[in-house]
Amino acid sequence: MKHVSLRALAAIACAVLAGNAAHAQAWPQRPIRIVVPFAAGSSPDILARIVNEKLSGRIGQPLIVDNKPGAGGNTGTDLASKAAADGYTFLLSVNAPLVYNTVLYKTLPYDPFKDLVPVSLAATTPNVCAASNSMNVDSVKGWLAAMKQYPGKFNFASTGNGSISHLGVELIKLKTQSFAVHIPYASSGQAVTALVQGDVQYACLPPVTVMPQVKAGRLKALAVTSAERSALLPDLPTLRESGLPDIQAVPWFAYMAPKGTPPEVVQRMSREIAAVLKDPETQKRLQTAYFDPVGSTPEALSKFMDEELRRWKPVIERAGLKPDN
């Protein structure tokens, strides 16, 4: 009887393993939701939609962008972290809600390092520091001189408290001992609109929203926030070249999944995203929108997030930055 029971247990185990393998091979069986914690027209939204066009063909199911803006990306990131871990919800989020906000906020409704699992580092883009025409400056030197000459006169826009567009300018203020009022917006599109209208006087924002206004003569581009000149914007100097060393603040975009998502699904999604990001047609479209495609393994993204936390935590704490700065 005991022998029979062991054989029965072995058969059950084999059946379970076979069932799991079949499930992995069968995924996906229905459309997949990509939560973007920012508004339509924002940089992560544009990135998601470009990638989705090829990605849906590779996995054989539609990918639906679900915009959930709010609280600087925290709202949508939290929603994704609490979604069913069944392989049908993924998140495309950015620096702040995935790393920086764990330092900026005393409490968060989610822990990105515990409630989400890395899938792929998708892309980076150099922020462009731009000034409203009302500031009447055409260089970083002139911009900084105006801020020092008229302390408290200027406002700057960001894509939300704790965003890289916020932290980058706070670092500039810290290094130059200048002052300006921070005005956070729900998306880069809204921030650029405020900049064009003169509601704010300067900002360091994603080029996909800034550069069309620069080319139309409505804004003046001053510099990029990357460590080196960007091949996508070769005519713009870096902040370092402009006399501001030790300041680099580059937005990055990463795919994540709710904790508990089947590892084989995470690995498959990671491989498919990397393949799409290597596709020449997709690369051309992304570069036209000023994205540098990356594509990484889940393990590489996990290591990258740890490095970002180690790099920015002391900066945030030393500067005394808070969510409502």
Side-chain angles (χ1 to χ4, degrees), residues 163 233 315:
S163 65
L233 296 158
V315 173

Side-chain angles (χ1 to χ4, degrees), residues 37-317:
F38 296 93
S42 62
S43 292
D45 176 76
I46 292 169
L47 174 62
R49 293 179 192 278
I50 292 175
V51 172
N52 280 1
E53 288 190 19
K54 293 282 186 179
L55 187 57
S56 61
R58 291 190 64 89
I59 66 175
Q61 288 289 341
L63 288 101
I64 300 167
V65 173
D66 187 7
N67 298 100
K68 297 292 183 183
N74 288 349
T75 300
T77 303
D78 178 45
L79 182 148
S81 75
K82 293 176 171 59
D86 56 6
Y88 291 93
T89 296
F90 289 85
L91 169 74
L92 180 57
S93 195
V94 299
N95 316 41
L98 292 181
V99 175
Y100 310 153
N101 288 355
T102 63
V103 184
L104 282 161
Y105 289 77
K106 289 184 178 179
T107 59
L108 282 175
Y110 65 93
D111 185 334
F113 292 92
K114 294 180 180 179
D115 301 329
L116 293 163
V117 293
V119 178
S120 179
L121 179 62
T124 63
T125 187
N127 266 350
V128 172
C129 294
S132 166
N133 288 340
S134 64
M135 254 191 116
N136 197 30
V137 298
D138 58 7
S139 67
V140 171
K141 183 178 179 180
W143 166 36
L144 298 180
M147 285 200 294
K148 287 187 176 181
Q149 184 176 359
Y150 304 105
K153 178 181 178 180
F154 303 117
N155 301 328
F156 76 93
S158 82
T159 56
N161 289 311
S163 65
I164 196 68
S165 59
H166 173 204
L167 298 187
V169 175
E170 291 292 351
L171 270 179
I172 292 170
K173 288 166 56 180
L174 187 68
K175 294 284 185 180
T176 60
Q177 297 184 337
S178 58
F179 176 77
V181 178
H182 173 221
I183 310 294
Y185 291 87
S187 71
S188 56
Q190 292 180 15
V192 167
T193 297
L195 190 57
V196 170
Q197 292 175 344
D199 297 332
V200 294
Q201 285 68 52
Y202 70 92
C204 296
L205 298 166
V208 68
T209 50
V210 172
M211 292 311 296
Q213 302 298 333
V214 171
K215 291 176 180 178
R218 300 186 186 99
L219 296 175
K220 180 65 179 181
L222 307 176
V224 291
T225 60
S226 48
E228 307 293 337
R229 285 206 184 204
S230 169
L232 305 175
L233 296 158
D235 295 332
L236 283 182
T238 64
L239 288 171
R240 179 183 298 171
E241 290 176 277
S242 304
L244 286 173
D246 304 324
I247 294 178
Q248 60 181 62
V250 177
W252 49 264
F253 309 83
Y255 285 91
M256 308 288 286
K259 181 181 179 181
T261 299
E264 63 272 14
V265 170
V266 170
Q267 292 292 341
R268 166 86 187 278
M269 190 68 159
S270 180
R271 290 194 302 271
E272 299 294 4
I273 290 169
V276 169
L277 292 172
K278 291 177 182 176
D279 173 71
E281 182 182 342
T282 302
Q283 286 192 340
K284 184 177 180 180
R285 290 191 63 198
L286 288 173
Q287 288 165 356
T288 299
Y290 304 101
F291 292 107
D292 282 311
V294 181
S296 77
T297 63
E299 295 76 17
L301 174 55
S302 178
K303 181 180 178 182
F304 175 78
M305 289 173 61
D306 288 341
E307 290 170 349
E308 279 284 281
L309 180 61
R310 285 196 296 272
R311 176 171 172 250
W312 280 96
K313 183 177 181 180
V315 173
I316 293 168
E317 291 178 341

